Amino acid sequence: MSEPSNRSPLAPPERRSLERLEQLFRHIRTQPEGAYLLDLVRRYRRQMLS
Amino acid sequence: MTPLVLDDVLKKIHALPSLQTVVMELLASIDQDDTHIGDLAFKIEQDQALTAKTLRLANSSFYGMQRQITTIEEAIATLGFRTVRGVVTAAALTGFFANSQQAAFEVTPFWRHAIATAVCARELAPYLQLNPEHAYTTGLLHDIGRLVLATQFPTHYKATMAYGAQHDCSLLIAERTVLGLDHAVVGHALTRHWKFPETIQQALATHHAPLGQVPNPMQLVVIAADAIAHALDLSMEQNDAVPLLPPGIWKQLAISDSDLLQVFAKVEAQFARASLVLDT
């Protein structure tokens, strides 16, 4: 059994880019429900940066 | 490749061992108001591996304890029964498949997504007057059928993943095309074999309801939690993608934008703690 690590389990900054978001939403960005969620996640990322 | 026969899949599921009795009792206790914490703590402590994992998590720096926690009862008193139950359930489930050397995919990203969906479902549940613990467990298990297929039929599942990558389609579509069945059917059969509560069994069976069908509240929560977990990139899987959503899902959930933004923040914060179970 290993020691619990203290590294962040969240995605590193390069995985939080707009390009990464576009890639994650590639199947759904033209669907209204997908566009809404994409917009919300973009707002959330901006809030986190400010 | 020849599609799978459901009877063969069911035979494999029935050959799988049961989950630890204490986990079943913890799940059964979700609906009980008179749960006797001392009794459950005693039962958890009969399982050395679960106890060790739970205590290591309780003592990790994320919980910022000033002193060493040495018993399950102490962990429950300090972290709360809800947290300990979530930790024990996640530890038991992740441990169950831990020795599967033949899985068709790496299991850590799978569990990262399952835990992210679970904590998100728990946050969304109160908006639809659902039991948050039921939602957590359903979220944790929502794709468990995928893990069964990947460990029991690795060659078939590798072909399924290859099809999904080649056509850039969801794994659900790839499963139905290559295997002739999908992980929702398999997950339902497994939770039936494990005698999970009926509400969890049903939610697993229907968490990929046809897009034209109006989802029930638990389905809504799990579908939304699944999408949010993908959108926040919590599995960190390179080929991850947010799945198609039922039309009108956000209207049916009726959660304001500002509340959803708060849910995102809570999910990321809770995920940081909950995913520690994968490190121990």
Side-chain angles (χ1 to χ4, degrees):
Chain A
M1 198 182 281
S2 62
E3 284 294 324
S5 69
N6 290 330
R7 66 176 164 70
S8 169
L10 303 181
E14 67 272 17
R15 299 289 294 261
R16 298 173 163 234
S17 63
L18 286 180
E19 291 75 16
R20 176 62 179 163
L21 266 185
E22 291 290 329
Q23 189 197 2
L24 285 170
F25 279 81
R26 65 191 183 279
H27 293 160
I28 195 180
R29 65 181 156 224
T30 57
Q31 193 196 9
E33 289 73 19
Y36 170 76
L37 181 59
L38 176 57
D39 179 57
L40 267 185
V41 177
R42 279 192 188 128
R43 281 165 60 185
Y44 173 65
R45 294 281 187 240
R46 278 199 297 269
Q47 273 185 12
M48 291 293 106
L49 287 172
S50 62
Chain B
M1 177 166 278
T2 316
L4 293 176
V5 176
L6 184 58
D7 276 352
D8 293 341
V9 178
L10 294 177
K11 276 181 201 156
K12 288 268 191 183
I13 288 173
H14 293 149
L16 288 171
S18 298
L19 271 185
Q20 295 96 317
T21 310
V22 65
V23 179
M24 306 311 298
E25 291 190 25
L26 281 172
L27 290 171
S29 75
I30 288 174
D31 285 330
Q32 294 167 8
D33 294 330
D34 59 347
T35 302
H36 198 290
I37 287 173
D39 282 353
L40 280 174
F42 176 77
K43 284 172 185 163
I44 293 169
E45 283 172 345
Q46 304 315 299
D47 188 313
Q48 288 185 5
L50 275 182
T51 300
K53 205 165 195 175
T54 305
L55 292 179
R56 285 173 79 86
L57 283 167
N59 286 306
S60 70
S61 61
F62 266 88
Y63 288 105
M65 293 295 132
Q66 300 299 311
R67 59 187 174 77
Q68 189 81 359
I69 292 176
T70 55
T71 66
I72 294 292
E73 201 153 6
E74 217 181 334
I76 292 171
T78 316
L79 303 177
F81 185 50
R82 185 181 101 154
T83 300
V84 173
R85 178 163 52 198
V87 164
V88 171
T89 307
L93 286 169
T94 54
F96 188 86
F97 290 98
N99 296 322
S100 304
Q101 302 297 322
Q102 293 185 326
F105 52 68
E106 204 195 329
V107 294
T108 300
F110 171 89
W111 282 117
R112 287 176 60 88
H113 175 67
I115 291 168
T117 306
V119 295
C120 188
R122 185 165 63 192
E123 284 304 314
L124 295 174
Y127 290 95
L128 281 86
Q129 287 78 49
L130 292 172
N131 180 323
E133 300 307 305
H134 267 307
Y136 174 90
T137 308
T138 310
L140 193 62
L141 288 164
H142 78 288
D143 277 343
I144 195 82
R146 200 161 270 165
L147 198 48
V148 173
L149 289 167
T151 54
Q152 305 303 310
F153 300 93
T155 308
H156 275 82
Y157 212 76
K158 278 180 187 159
T160 304
M161 291 167 64
Y163 181 94
Q166 190 186 347
H167 294 84
D168 192 24
C169 66
S170 71
L171 272 176
L172 181 75
I173 291 171
E175 286 168 359
R176 289 174 178 170
T177 307
V178 177
L179 307 176
L181 46 80
D182 63 48
H183 66 277
V185 173
V186 177
H188 175 243
L190 179 68
T191 50
R192 220 179 137 147
H193 171 57
W194 280 347
K195 298 184 173 59
F196 272 43
E198 186 66 25
T199 47
I200 293 177
Q201 287 186 33
Q202 282 310 314
L204 253 69
T206 57
H207 81 274
H208 285 295
L211 290 180
Q213 194 176 312
V214 178
N216 66 37
M218 185 61 90
Q219 279 175 273
L220 273 177
V221 160
V222 174
I223 293 167
D226 178 47
I228 291 169
H230 283 295
L232 294 176
D233 202 12
L234 293 172
S235 78
M236 287 200 270
E237 201 171 10
Q238 189 57 39
N239 290 326
D240 205 359
V242 183
L244 287 173
L245 289 165
I249 183 171
W250 303 115
K251 278 186 185 161
Q252 290 166 55
L253 275 171
I255 305 176
S256 69
D257 290 9
S258 59
D259 280 5
L260 278 174
L261 291 171
Q262 283 180 31
V263 166
F264 293 176
K266 286 180 186 168
V267 167
E268 287 204 329
Q270 289 178 24
F271 177 76
R273 289 179 177 180
S275 63
L276 283 174
V277 74
L278 299 173
D279 282 345
T280 54

